[in-house]
Amino acid sequence: MNTLVAGIDEAGRGPLAGPVVVAAVVFDPARPRINGLDDSKQLTAARRETLYARIVDRALAWRIVFVEPAEIDRINILQATLLGMRRALEGVLETIGDPQGCLARIDGNCLPPDLPCAAEALIGGDGRERSIMAASILAKVARDRAMLALHARRPGYGFDLHKGYSTPQHLEALQRLGPCPEHRRSFAPVRAAAQAGMFTIAPDTPDLLPDAAAG
C-alpha cells in the first residue's frame, strides 16, 4: 500500500493583522490528478478560487486551521504557525484514521515537535509537491476570504486590498486610526502605533475610543 502524503502550508505569517492560516491536504493516489496546481503565489485569485473548489471536492482529506491574532501575540508568529500545522495535520489524520500510513510534507525548513506521524520539511515545497501546492491554495483562499470579511466590519483599514500586509496604505491607516482588535500587537509597527496614539477599540465595534490614560 502506498504511503499517503499530507501536504501542509500556511498563508499570512507576515501581515500586521488577521490570522495565520494553515491547510493540510491528502490526495487519494487512486484518483485522477488535478491539473494546474502550483504555488498559490503564482496563481491569480480567480484561478485559486477554481482550484480551491476542485481540491476540496477531490481530496481524500483536507483541513484549514485559523490561528487568531491573540494567540499569535501570546506565543509568537513562529510558534503559532507550527501550532496551526500540527492542528491541520491532526485534522486530516483523524479523517484518514491511520497516522502510520501517512507522511507529512511541510513547506519550509522547520517541523513542529512531536508530530503524530512521520514528517519531513521541504524547502520550496509549494513549488515541488502537489499536496503542498494544494494546501497553499486552500490556506491563501481561506485567508483572503477572512480578510474580505474583516474589511466589511472595519472598512477604514483597506483590508480588502492589502490583506493586512504592511503596505504604505495600511501603515497610514494604522497611524490614523490606531490598531483594531484584529491587529497583531506583538508586531513592531502595530505596537508603535498603539503606543503613539494610546488607542483602544471596543471589541464589537470599529469605533475608536480615547484611552483614559491619554487625558
Side-chain angles (χ1 to χ4, degrees):
M1 178 178 179
N2 293 331
T3 299
L4 296 172
V5 174
I8 301 171
D9 201 5
E10 53 77 24
R13 281 185 65 171
L16 305 179
V20 61
V21 179
V22 182
V25 175
V26 179
F27 284 126
D28 184 344
R31 297 194 67 183
R33 289 188 167 195
I34 298 173
N35 294 325
L37 291 178
D38 202 345
D39 174 5
S40 63
K41 296 184 291 295
Q42 304 301 319
L43 301 168
T44 65
R47 184 62 178 160
R48 288 194 296 265
E49 287 283 353
T50 297
L51 288 169
Y52 181 102
R54 293 178 184 173
I55 292 164
V56 300
D57 176 64
R58 200 172 300 180
L60 181 64
W62 60 275
R63 182 65 58 95
I64 300 172
V65 170
F66 290 70
V67 184
E68 299 296 342
E71 195 158 23
I72 293 170
D73 289 339
R74 182 173 62 84
I75 62 176
N76 78 48
I77 184 60
L78 174 60
Q79 295 305 316
T81 303
L82 295 176
L83 179 62
M85 290 176 172
R86 168 183 284 281
R87 291 172 177 170
L89 177 58
E90 290 173 345
V92 293
L93 292 179
E94 182 179 344
T95 299
I96 294 168
D98 180 19
Q100 301 310 311
C102 189
L103 169 66
R105 285 187 173 151
I106 297 177
D107 185 52
N109 60 0
C110 189
L111 292 176
D114 302 322
L115 291 175
C117 71
E120 59 186 25
L122 194 60
I123 295 174
D126 51 7
R128 299 164 57 191
E129 166 62 52
R130 293 177 61 81
S131 59
I132 297 179
M133 295 176 191
S136 77
I137 292 167
L138 294 196
K140 173 64 173 169
V141 171
R143 189 176 192 280
D144 283 355
R145 291 175 179 176
M147 296 309 290
L148 289 175
L150 179 58
H151 171 72
R153 291 163 47 209
R154 307 195 189 280
Y157 295 94
F159 290 130
D160 59 326
L161 299 176
H162 52 67
K163 307 300 189 295
Y165 284 88
S166 56
T167 64
Q169 177 195 14
H170 188 189
L171 293 174
E172 185 279 328
L174 188 58
Q175 291 297 323
R176 176 168 43 87
L177 300 174
C180 70
E182 291 78 16
H183 275 100
R184 301 174 183 179
R185 300 297 177 114
S186 56
F187 281 45
V190 178
R191 185 168 60 248
Q195 292 171 348
M198 299 296 287
F199 291 106
T200 61
I201 298 181
D204 298 321
T205 175
D207 294 335
L208 291 172
L209 300 175
D211 192 284

